[in-house]
Structures are given as structure tokens and as C-alpha cells.
Amino acid sequence: MPRIRHTPEATTGLRPLPAGGGIDAHRHDEHQIVYAGRGVLAVTTDAGSWLAPANRALWIPAGAVHEHRAYGATDLHLVGLAVADNPLRLEQPAVLGVGPLLRELIIEYTARPADTGAERRRLRAVLLDQLRHCAEQPVHVPAAGDPRLSAVCALLHDDPADNRTLRQLGAAVGVGERTLTRLCAAELGMTFPQWRTQLRLHHALRLLAEGVPVTTVAHRCGWASSSAFIDVFRRAFGHTPGAHRAL
């Protein structure tokens, strides 16, 4: 990521982003919670991309170089936390589940960042307490470092609906299936089918945020039918794609 900005203090506040808008690569010396109250937000690092719809928040640890991109008009709520305030002891970017109470706490806390009163300090204490009980619920597409596996991943990034097997994709870039299977485990931390499903869910969230119909999303992301897509989406996020639009 070229031209990395260094902003020592992690911002707290609300920042609206237009569809397709973003924040360039940067790092800060504090942790940060990033929550999209409206729209879908992607955070990209050298290790891959994380995606957060309205029932997820992103944890950005101090020092991590990252950039943001919005899919659909997005209300970006940012909560900066001192290095000592790491309630989940997370040292890598992560996606966290956001229940109704935590959602309202984040929205309220970011509404008046200049406030330093006692009520705001109590609000912060409750917010941190809620974060301690968050579970990681990742929508993470790991990035491959090996150029052979990276070439295969690039084919699917370009066309998530590509249904070729790992053997067929490997043949297209001149790499054997056994080598790619080993690289998936070593570099992605998951099997190739698991990675492809994460990629497709990642792409589906982006399309839904842009208002693309569910049937079209299913087709563009490679599911055989809308019902198959809805089933996978529900198991991943706890609600249907149709309900997702109302979040």
C-alpha cells in the first residue's frame, strides 16, 4: 500500500462516506473500532480483506496498516481506544458481532466526540464492557502471498461465479492441485472451498449494499439457485439477504 499516512491518534466520531468512497492506507498508534451504521464497509490490509455489514464491527489494532472502502452510502462510526484498552486482547484485525445494545452505544458515543463529561465517561465504560463479550464473526478473505496461489485467487476475485474446480483453476495457471491444496492450508488457514465461500459472501454483501436484487446477486456470486444462496447467507449472518437490507 503506497503513501501510508501515520496518524498517531485514532479518530473518534461519525464520518459519512458516499458509495464507493473510502479512506486511504494509514496506521495509528491506538486501537480503533470501526462500525458501519448504514451501508457495508470493507477494510483491507496486507493479510486480506474484512467486511462489516450493520451487525458487525471491525477491530483495528494499533499499528495495523489499513484502508477503508464503502459499498453503498455508509455512515462510518469510529471509536479510538488507547493501547491499554484492548478488552478482547486482539492483536490482529477482526470482525465482531454487534448486538442492539452495542450498536446504540457506538452510535451514541460517536455522536459527540468533543464531549468530555461524566456521562460520556460512563458511556465509554459500558461500551468497553460490552466489547468484552463480543464474539469474532469473521467475513474475512485472506490474501495469498505465494504467487502461484495468488494467481488462482485473482481469477476468482475477477469472477466469483467461476465454478471451476481447484484442479481446473490450477491448470489454467500451471500449478498442480496438490500444491495449491497445501498452499491454501498454509497461507489462507482454510480449505479452498471455504475460501471461495468467504469470497462469494464478501462479494454478495457488496452487491446487496449497492441495491442489486437477491436473485442477481446469487447468480453473479456463483450459487446454483437463489435458495442455495439464501441458505448459505443465513447460516453465515443469522438472517436472509432480504432482511439484511433492512439492517
Side-chain angles (χ1 to χ4, degrees), residues 21-23 26 32 34 41-43 60 66-70 76 78:
I23 301 174
H26 64 287
Q32 192 173 55
V34 183
L41 182 74
V43 170
I60 308 296
H66 59 287
E67 57 184 78
H68 304 296
R69 184 173 179 186
L76 188 60
L78 303 165

Side-chain angles (χ1 to χ4, degrees), residues 70-184:
Y71 294 95
T74 298
D75 290 336
L76 188 60
H77 297 269
L78 303 165
V79 178
L81 298 172
V83 172
D85 291 332
N86 188 344
L88 290 172
R89 302 293 186 265
L90 293 171
E91 302 301 331
Q92 299 295 328
V95 179
L96 308 175
V98 174
L101 176 56
L102 182 56
R103 170 188 166 86
E104 295 306 319
L105 288 167
I106 293 173
I107 290 173
E108 180 64 23
Y109 189 76
T110 56
R112 295 184 297 276
D115 185 359
T116 59
E119 181 179 350
R120 181 172 175 80
R121 292 194 295 272
R122 291 193 295 271
L123 182 65
R124 180 187 177 87
V126 177
L127 193 157
L128 287 172
D129 186 60
Q130 286 295 305
L131 284 172
R132 291 185 182 93
H133 303 290
C134 278
E136 289 191 60
Q137 298 182 333
V139 185
H140 176 212
V141 181
D146 188 286
R148 296 167 294 178
L149 180 57
S150 181
V152 170
C153 292
L155 294 175
L156 295 177
H157 275 290
D158 290 342
D159 181 13
D162 188 334
N163 278 314
R164 283 180 289 178
T165 66
L166 184 58
R167 180 185 298 243
Q168 291 168 330
L169 291 164
V173 298
V175 187
E177 181 180 16
R178 290 181 63 182
T179 298
L180 291 172
T181 298
R182 175 178 55 80
L183 288 171
C184 283

Side-chain angles (χ1 to χ4, degrees), residues 3 15 19 24 45 48 72 119 171 204 219 222 224 234:
R3 301 169 60 184
R15 180 168 178 176
D24 61 353
T45 74
E119 181 179 350
H219 174 71
R234 183 191 290 112

